[in-house]
Amino acid sequence: MEAKKQEFLQLVDTALEVGKGMLAADDSPSERLNTLIAQLQQIKANTISDRLQPSDGHVTLGLAREVADWIENLDSPLLKAVGAIEIYYQQQL
């Protein structure tokens, strides 16, 4: 389980980097992006402290749906990053 947790945390860190980069470049709505970054940080903290609820193959984190609602480019690196988090969460955790 520890290896899965580490891989999941790497995916979260990647999404955080992309989101913070977009925020610095002012490429998207900053309020929604700040909310997403806060959610990712909370998911990371919950994962580290073993408080993240398991998906059991059907629960999602809602990240991809939220980002898709406001991001202009559906081929965005941020949408891909949060999509990877969702897939890993559902399939591995």
Side-chain angles (χ1 to χ4, degrees):
M1 183 62 175
E2 190 64 30
K4 289 182 180 183
K5 184 174 156 180
Q6 290 302 320
E7 191 167 343
F8 184 72
L9 288 171
Q10 288 176 333
L11 292 171
V12 172
D13 284 340
T14 298
L16 281 167
E17 287 176 27
V18 172
K20 289 177 181 179
M22 289 175 67
L23 194 59
D26 197 29
D27 284 345
S28 60
S30 60
E31 183 179 330
R32 292 185 118 173
L33 189 52
N34 280 327
T35 300
L36 175 67
I37 289 169
Q39 288 173 321
L40 289 168
Q41 290 170 332
Q42 186 62 49
I43 290 167
K44 182 176 180 177
N46 287 344
T47 302
I48 291 169
S49 64
D50 293 322
R51 292 180 300 170
L52 185 67
Q53 298 298 316
S55 166
D56 294 327
H58 61 277
V59 175
T60 70
L61 298 168
L63 299 172
R65 180 178 50 239
E66 179 191 340
V67 172
D69 283 347
W70 57 264
I71 199 137
E72 291 180 21
N73 181 2
L74 293 180
D75 196 32
S76 163
L78 181 61
L79 187 54
K80 289 179 182 180
V82 296
I85 291 170
E86 291 284 10
I87 291 168
Y88 194 87
Y89 177 67
Q90 278 195 307
Q91 294 178 353
Q92 302 295 326
L93 300 179

